[in-house]
Amino acid sequence: MKEHIVKKKDRKEDIREEKAAERAGKGLKDDKSLEKKGTFKEGEAGGKPIHWFHINQKYMSVCRYSLFVIVAAILIYIIISHWGETKKSISNLFNVLSPFLVGVLMAYFLIPLVARIQGILKKITKGKYEKITKSVAIFLAYLLVIGFIAVAFVFVIPQMGQSVQELTDKIPYMYRTIMRELAGLQRRYPDIDLEFAYDQLDEVMPNLINYGTDLMGSLLPVVYSLSVSIVKMAINLLLGVMISIYMIYSKENFRYQGKRIVYAIFSEEKGDAICSTLRECNNIFGAFLISKAIDSLIIGCICCVAMNIIGLPYSVLLSVIVGITNMIPYFGPFIGAVPGVLIYLCTDWELALIFAIMILVLQQFDGLILGPRLLGQSTGLSPIWVIFAITVGGAYFGVLGMFVGVPVVAVVAYLINKLISSRLRGKKITALREFEEK
């Protein structure tokens, strides 16, 4: 009897276990059916059950991106529709942040000079006294820059003003010379109609004389007002210098903080790629501007020395023009030579010819010897893209756009090339093999 009762209990337990197994199997099937339908697939679809409601992470991502696009579109519409207020707000923001912007720019251009001086001092001290070496390098770099600016104000600017005054005094003589040459041309070739040239000269020359007189008359007030403005901006400038010194001294700390932000947002692999890309962009942009500035300074100095040796007048004024325009690749030498040639043509055509030959020789020296040593392949752009950068930059941003357009386009081209290379990595495309083999 007892054995019968025990068997009955065992049979009930077996039945309960079978029912529990059936329920578990049914639940597993339900989960698999949900996975097949895409409602819940943990790990792949990212679904997370919340009681009876299931969230699909794919649709949540789409919703987040859609919300971001809508908010961005609304902000862009508000900015464009209230452009006057937006422009005023941006201008006020730049005025407030002007000491920081000045400090960042000063630090950006002085860091290579500080690094070069620090490298020399490290060789002298054999790597000892690192903090003292860095401080001395920063001090010497600022001393060199301030000395260069002082020399420019003391020697260059007064001579430029004197050259402008001499040219203003010679405008009537230039006018008579041009009229005499036009009259001789009219006698040799009677069929040529030069009435338009006469009308333009009669209209331009008096205005040019008045402009030159007004320029020299207002030069001192302009210098005075500029000095007053410099005094008013002394606080901002002092703050900018202090900020730049701090940024140069704490360069490694800023780099560390920037990398922390990058690696906090992205994975280590993506963070390495982003840091490497930003480093290369900085090298392209900074190397071109700094190297080109040094190159132009050297060319301007050589031009001034050569003009003084040959005996050409207005050497300082024309050398400054040649040096500044030399910052523009390809077109810079021609733009810098035009004012000097025109000025000398109005006085003596032989001087114009000598100046043109000197500029041609100087630019060949720059293009074949000096430029490659300083610039190297800092941009990696083909000539067509350099011309494109100068044209577009000059059309939209004037002379500054012509200066900065080339390194900006070089950075954009580097980023696009890197993106295309990453997309093509691992793909064996037959159509590209014939170009890669050449």
Side-chain angles (χ1 to χ4, degrees):
M1 188 69 179
K2 289 181 179 179
E3 292 178 358
H4 179 70
I5 292 171
V6 171
K7 290 180 179 179
K8 193 173 181 179
K9 287 182 179 179
D10 292 340
R11 191 179 302 162
K12 286 182 179 179
E13 289 178 359
D14 293 338
I15 292 171
R16 282 197 295 269
E17 290 177 358
E18 289 177 0
K19 288 183 178 180
E22 289 178 0
R23 286 196 297 270
K26 187 178 180 181
L28 184 61
K29 289 179 181 178
D30 291 340
D31 289 344
K32 288 182 178 179
S33 64
L34 289 173
E35 288 177 4
K36 290 178 180 179
K37 291 178 182 179
T39 307
F40 171 54
K41 191 175 182 182
E42 191 171 359
E44 292 182 13
K48 295 181 180 179
I50 301 177
H51 301 293
W52 55 271
F53 181 71
H54 299 279
I55 297 176
N56 190 294
Q57 290 299 316
K58 288 183 178 179
Y59 294 116
M60 286 300 295
S61 298
V62 172
C63 291
R64 284 195 293 266
Y65 285 125
S66 301
L67 182 62
F68 174 77
V69 171
I70 291 171
V71 172
I74 293 173
L75 290 176
I76 292 173
Y77 173 75
I78 293 173
I79 290 172
I80 294 175
S81 59
H82 300 81
W83 180 245
E85 297 177 2
T86 303
K87 190 175 180 180
K88 187 177 179 181
S89 301
I90 294 174
S91 177
N92 292 332
L93 180 63
F94 273 100
N95 289 332
V96 172
L97 297 178
S98 58
F100 295 93
L101 297 176
V102 171
V104 169
L105 288 175
M106 291 177 66
Y108 184 80
F109 285 102
L110 284 175
I111 281 175
L113 180 60
V114 172
R116 185 64 61 87
I117 296 174
Q118 189 176 0
I120 296 172
L121 293 177
K122 280 184 177 180
K123 292 181 180 179
I124 297 174
T125 59
K126 297 181 180 180
K128 299 179 181 179
Y129 315 109
E130 185 175 353
K131 292 184 178 180
I132 298 176
T133 302
K134 184 185 291 186
S135 302
V136 172
I138 294 172
F139 173 75
L140 292 177
Y142 276 90
L143 188 64
L144 286 174
V145 172
I146 293 172
F148 177 78
I149 294 174
V151 168
F153 271 98
V154 172
F155 295 101
V156 177
I157 292 179
Q159 293 192 34
M160 289 178 63
Q162 183 179 358
S163 298
V164 172
Q165 179 65 57
E166 292 178 3
L167 287 173
T168 303
D169 295 337
K170 287 186 177 181
I171 286 177
Y173 170 74
M174 295 179 182
Y175 174 75
R176 291 192 298 270
T177 302
I178 295 173
M179 294 297 290
R180 185 170 60 252
E181 293 295 330
L182 287 176
L185 187 63
Q186 183 74 49
R187 286 194 300 271
R188 287 192 220 102
Y189 306 99
D191 296 334
I192 298 178
D193 187 10
L194 298 176
E195 291 296 328
F196 176 77
Y198 285 118
D199 294 338
Q200 291 297 317
L201 284 172
D202 290 337
E203 182 179 353
V204 168
M205 281 302 173
N207 295 331
L208 189 60
I209 295 172
N210 294 331
Y211 177 76
T213 305
D214 295 339
L215 177 63
M216 293 309 301
S218 61
L219 186 60
L220 290 178
V222 167
V223 172
Y224 174 76
S225 63
L226 182 61
S227 302
V228 172
S229 299
I230 291 174
V231 171
K232 290 180 180 179
M233 294 174 60
I235 297 177
N236 288 339
L237 184 60
L238 182 61
L239 285 174
V241 171
M242 293 174 63
I243 291 170
S244 65
I245 292 173
Y246 176 74
M247 292 187 69
I248 294 173
Y249 192 83
S250 305
K251 177 184 65 174
E252 297 300 327
N253 185 35
F254 282 108
R255 183 181 297 175
Y256 169 69
Q257 296 297 335
K259 286 188 175 182
R260 288 188 69 218
I261 295 173
V262 171
Y263 286 110
I265 298 173
F266 302 96
S267 63
E268 185 175 358
E269 183 179 357
K270 290 183 178 179
D272 291 338
I274 291 172
C275 291
S276 175
T277 302
L278 292 177
R279 190 184 306 112
E280 188 63 27
C281 291
N282 176 66
N283 291 336
I284 292 172
F285 191 86
F288 177 82
L289 285 183
I290 295 173
S291 301
K292 195 64 179 174
I294 296 173
D295 175 75
S296 300
L297 177 62
I298 294 173
I299 290 298
C301 293
I302 294 175
C303 180
C304 184
V305 172
M307 291 182 70
N308 285 320
I309 292 174
I310 297 172
L312 295 175
Y314 323 120
S315 58
V316 175
L317 177 63
L318 295 179
S319 297
V320 170
I321 295 174
V322 169
I324 292 175
T325 56
N326 194 68
M327 285 286 294
I328 305 172
Y330 294 112
F331 298 106
F334 302 102
I335 297 173
V338 167
V341 171
L342 291 178
I343 289 172
Y344 289 133
L345 278 176
C346 295
T347 55
D348 189 349
W349 67 270
E350 293 181 356
L351 296 179
L353 181 61
I354 294 172
F355 179 76
I357 294 173
M358 185 200 73
I359 293 295
L360 181 62
V361 173
L362 190 61
Q363 295 307 324
Q364 290 299 314
F365 165 75
D366 183 28
L368 298 176
I369 300 175
L370 183 62
R373 289 181 178 273
L374 291 176
L375 297 173
Q377 298 295 327
S378 58
T379 60
L381 287 179
S382 62
I384 186 65
W385 286 113
V386 173
I387 296 172
F388 171 80
I390 295 170
T391 305
V392 175
Y396 284 95
F397 302 102
V399 178
L400 182 62
M402 298 177 75
F403 289 156
V404 186
V406 175
V408 169
V409 172
V411 169
V412 173
Y414 168 74
L415 293 175
I416 294 174
N417 182 55
K418 193 174 182 65
L419 177 62
I420 294 173
S421 298
S422 64
R423 298 287 295 177
L424 292 176
R425 189 177 294 116
K427 296 181 180 180
K428 297 180 180 180
I429 301 174
T430 307
L432 298 177
R433 288 182 182 176
E434 56 177 326
F435 298 98
E436 293 174 352
E437 291 175 356
K438 291 181 180 180

